[in-house]
Amino acid sequence: MLTSVVEAPRRRDRPAYRNFAVTVARVERLTPTFVNVTFTGDDLADFGTAGLDQRVKVVLPLASNGFASFPDGLDWYTTWRELPGEQRNPFRTYTVRAVRPEQLEVDIVFACHGDVGPASTWAGRAEPGDEIVLIGPDEFGAGRTAGIDWRPGEVDTLLLAGDETATPAICAILESLPADASGAAFLEVPESGDRLEVRAPAGVEVRWLARDGAAGAVEAHTSAEHGSLLAPAVRDWVVRHLADLGVTRAGTDESAAALAAAERDDLPDTPLWDVPDGHSLDGACYAWLAGEASVITGLRRFLVREAGLDRRQVAFMGYWRRGRAELE
Ligand SMILES: Cc1cc2nc3c(=O)[nH]c(=O)nc-3n(C[C@H](O)[C@H](O)[C@H](O)COP(=O)(O)OP(=O)(O)OC[C@H]3O[C@@H](n4cnc5c(N)ncnc54)[C@H](O)[C@@H]3O)c2cc1C
């Protein structure tokens, strides 16, 4: 067929990820915490549409010269690292919330946490016309699904849990699930007003946990610590659904021992990240956990050591670390 003859070399020749120069088309303040920024640019016709939790790098302008010193080309990172500090544009990792190639648009939802950190500061002030650079997937590149960590395989029950930084990814994943999917999604957000509209299959329970303790549609709690609602809610759900998940209370099995060994080897600056290949799993449960690193690590430990899930059933991703800027 003509299409495959034309596209095959095109895919091989193009990288999985590359630079896209974009401008802000619209800014929508969705809730007290979440800001949806819609980017546009001619190049976005080729931006990857694989979705789910696909990540991108958001490169931010320097106050002194914008992007004048930001290196072009595939090897931008090596060149960037060799620049003097004041000429290095900061960049941070975000999730593609939506892509509309025909309209040349990409949405990213920023959880603003004040004027702390270049990305949150930028998002809090973003306006139409602002320029940035996205390092994102190329639809016609060799690895259009690179940067996707949602790999559930064929399992019966799905468990998603995360804080506000993982909320865009969880929403995108929920919207992609087949109608007969079953399980639960826990989203811990700063305020009751941060609940977002999201479509999910009827068999997937979606629970918003607001740290501010406000009453209403969102559950009422009082503590303000990240994870203080997420951890007990997930524990409670797992304990109540242990039988459905087909797991036993193990604690000392091979998987828990492997986890303990891996944790011993973790160095302070090692990214807290482990994404098993779920395609080898059948049957029971797949858990996807993302958010503040210590919270997510604790949840994984509970799932593997106490609840008895196989380590390969748990994808965990430290999206950020309390008190530390993202490592560039
Ligand atoms: C794969 C991946 C996907 C992600 N997707 C998204 C996304 O779609 N939306 C999103 O909002 N975030 C997302 N994040 C998280 C985001 O990259 C971090 O929150 C990042 O640190 C924000 O950069 P910054 O410049 O605002 O702060 P930094 O300069 O990195 O950090 C400055 C300080 O702020 C603290 N901090 C960072 N984030 C928060 C927070 N949310 N609340 C409170 N304190 C914080 C740090 O601990 C540090 O002390 C994602 C991260 C990863 C790895």
Side-chain angles (χ1 to χ4, degrees):
M1 204 174 124
L2 184 61
T3 320
S4 59
V5 171
V6 172
E7 286 206 353
R10 208 179 162 206
R11 280 190 190 276
R12 266 204 312 275
D13 292 349
R14 291 168 71 149
Y17 270 67
R18 66 178 176 87
N19 299 8
F20 293 82
V22 294
T23 56
V24 173
R26 293 184 297 285
V27 178
E28 193 183 351
R29 306 213 176 261
L30 303 173
T31 70
T33 298
F34 294 115
V35 173
N36 183 63
V37 182
T38 300
F39 297 99
T40 190
D42 291 344
D43 217 11
L44 292 182
D46 292 346
F47 196 89
T49 57
L52 299 170
D53 57 345
Q54 192 158 43
R55 58 178 169 270
V56 293
K57 297 286 182 200
V58 173
V59 186
L60 299 152
L62 289 171
S64 53
N65 69 359
F67 293 95
S69 52
F70 189 68
D72 246 350
L74 293 184
D75 204 16
W76 65 271
Y77 185 64
T78 309
T79 316
W80 176 90
R81 286 191 65 152
E82 286 161 1
L83 290 170
E86 68 281 4
Q87 289 179 33
R88 286 190 202 169
N89 290 76
F91 57 85
R92 296 290 183 267
T93 310
Y94 282 83
T95 306
V96 179
R97 180 64 182 91
V99 188
R100 294 175 295 279
E102 64 294 345
Q103 290 162 44
L104 305 176
E105 289 183 349
V106 167
D107 291 343
I108 293 179
V109 173
F110 294 79
C112 292
H113 55 98
D115 287 354
V116 188
S120 180
T121 304
W122 180 88
R125 295 175 170 71
E127 287 183 357
D130 288 354
E131 294 183 350
I132 67 152
V133 172
L134 297 178
I135 314 276
D138 187 317
E139 180 74 355
F140 304 102
R144 64 186 287 282
T145 58
I148 293 180
D149 292 317
W150 171 253
R151 302 173 199 164
E154 297 293 320
V155 294
D156 297 333
T157 305
L158 301 168
L159 170 64
L160 295 110
D163 64 20
E164 59 269 36
T165 63
T167 293
I170 294 177
C171 290
I173 291 168
L174 286 174
E175 289 172 358
S176 77
L177 293 178
D180 61 352
S182 72
F186 294 88
L187 302 105
E188 189 192 88
V189 290
E191 298 187 27
S192 53
D194 286 324
R195 181 183 178 140
L196 299 173
E197 286 301 317
V198 61
R199 292 186 312 279
V204 179
E205 178 188 354
V206 179
R207 290 182 59 193
W208 293 87
L209 307 160
R211 289 191 296 270
D212 67 356
V218 179
E219 296 176 31
H221 296 276
T222 52
S223 173
E225 283 290 304
H226 279 93
S228 56
L229 306 184
L230 192 62
V234 170
R235 278 172 170 266
D236 180 58
W237 185 86
V238 168
V239 168
R240 284 191 289 111
H241 291 78
L242 272 182
D244 294 351
L245 303 186
V247 298
T248 55
R249 288 178 179 281
T252 55
D253 70 359
E254 245 175 60
S255 187
L259 174 61
E263 284 176 353
R264 271 197 307 276
D265 291 343
D266 274 349
L267 301 170
D269 285 324
T270 307
L272 293 166
W273 201 282
D274 187 20
V275 182
D277 181 3
H279 292 293
S280 57
L281 294 176
D282 278 328
C285 171
Y286 173 78
W288 182 104
L289 317 169
E292 201 285 320
S294 64
V295 175
I296 295 309
T297 308
L299 271 178
R300 178 174 77 152
R301 194 174 296 134
F302 161 72
L303 287 172
V304 176
R305 290 198 187 174
E306 294 179 47
L309 264 70
D310 191 294
R311 200 178 158 210
R312 290 164 303 169
Q313 291 176 274
V314 183
F316 93 109
M317 291 143 285
Y319 271 15
W320 63 284
R321 281 196 198 198
R322 193 186 326 276
R324 289 200 201 186
E326 182 178 324
L327 288 176
E328 292 170 333

